[in-house]
Amino acid sequence: YWAARRFAHDPRFAFGTWKIEILGGYTSALFLVVVAGFMVYHSVERLLAPMLIHYDQAIGIAVLGLVVNLVCAWLLRDGHGQAHHHHDGHAHHDLNLRAAYLHVLADAATSLFAIVALFGGKLWGAAWLDPVMGIIGASLVSIWAYGLLRDTSRVLIDAEMDRPVVAEVREVIAELPVAAKIADLHVWRVGRDKYACILSLVVNEPLEPDAVRQALSIHEELVHVTVEVNRHP
């Protein structure tokens, strides 16, 4: 967020600095994968070579960790909820905030799993529960990380031609007073809920690019629109 604000007016960023936030979310997802890997490694190590566990101290630390992460999750909850609102049928996500939220949830989940495992070991002597819960926690973290990697990478490599806004552009062109065929269409996200569009049309009758841009202006999420109109011989 700091970097995105600092370079917000830097002319080198053709479409603004929003993708710096997405890059932050992508990097956070990578760190989650690394954390899950360490959890699996140490859990398997503990299964193969059990170690003495000081249950009372470990439970106390796990409870403290759970409380801290629940407080953090509560503080992030409102922002995370606001970042998943709907407008004109589209869901807009603050993927950077989602990354922070998932980090906190992952920490809280692993603390909860640890508490369950430690109580099981203390009460029933099931020391194996601790590493098993570690593997379960790592699996959950991996699932969250995969979803975050998928969503952030789609934005970073502009793989979003399946978004509803693409269909809306096609609908607008189909409703133009002049028959127009789409020869080329590129839509990509340049902001949290903003898209750029490059559109090339082929027509048999005169059609001004400004008229096309005006027709597309009903969709406020289209903030950078380039239109090329080619007259068919």
Side-chain angles (χ1 to χ4, degrees):
Y1 289 128
W2 172 81
R5 285 195 299 268
R6 181 183 178 188
F7 297 106
H9 302 291
D10 191 322
R12 293 176 299 171
F13 295 90
F15 293 103
T17 56
W18 175 70
K19 284 192 177 179
I20 293 177
E21 297 178 25
I22 302 302
L23 186 60
Y26 180 82
T27 306
S28 294
L30 291 179
F31 275 112
L32 281 174
V33 172
V34 173
V35 168
F38 272 110
M39 290 172 65
V40 171
Y41 174 80
H42 287 293
S43 295
V44 172
E45 187 179 46
R46 290 291 183 91
L47 278 173
L48 298 177
M51 298 176 63
L52 177 65
I53 301 174
H54 299 283
Y55 288 107
D56 292 336
Q57 295 93 323
I59 290 172
I61 293 173
V63 169
L64 177 61
L66 178 61
V67 171
V68 169
N69 284 294
L70 288 177
V71 170
C72 291
W74 180 78
L75 291 172
L76 286 170
R77 180 190 59 183
D78 290 339
H80 182 63
Q82 292 170 7
H84 286 71
H85 63 279
H86 287 75
H87 176 67
D88 293 337
H90 304 306
H92 306 312
H93 310 286
D94 184 336
L95 294 173
N96 193 42
L97 180 60
R98 177 182 166 192
Y101 191 67
L102 286 181
H103 268 295
V104 171
L105 285 184
D107 285 344
T110 52
S111 294
L112 182 61
F113 290 146
I115 291 170
V116 172
L118 291 168
F119 269 111
K122 180 181 179 180
L123 298 177
W124 305 305
W128 55 268
L129 270 176
D130 185 40
V132 167
M133 285 296 185
I135 294 173
I136 294 173
S139 301
L140 181 60
V141 172
S142 297
I143 292 171
W144 289 342
Y146 169 76
L148 188 57
L149 278 172
R150 179 195 60 212
D151 294 342
T152 52
S153 61
R154 279 170 58 86
V155 175
L156 290 174
I157 64 175
D158 299 321
E160 297 197 292
M161 283 296 289
D162 58 345
R163 303 297 293 178
V165 66
V166 178
E168 291 171 353
V169 170
R170 294 184 181 277
E171 289 173 5
V172 169
I173 301 307
E175 294 173 0
L176 290 173
V178 174
K181 178 182 178 182
I182 297 176
D184 200 14
L185 174 61
H186 300 278
V187 177
W188 68 101
R189 222 183 325 180
V190 295
R192 193 167 302 151
D193 55 354
K194 304 297 181 184
Y195 293 82
C197 173
I198 295 177
L199 176 64
S200 178
L201 299 175
V202 177
V203 297
N204 292 321
E205 302 175 50
L207 177 65
E208 292 296 324
D210 284 343
V212 180
R213 280 191 287 269
Q214 183 63 33
L216 289 170
S217 66
I218 63 171
H219 298 295
E220 297 177 354
E221 63 268 36
L222 291 172
V223 293
H224 295 280
V225 179
T226 302
V227 179
E228 176 186 72
V229 178
N230 299 290
R231 188 79 180 270
H232 193 279

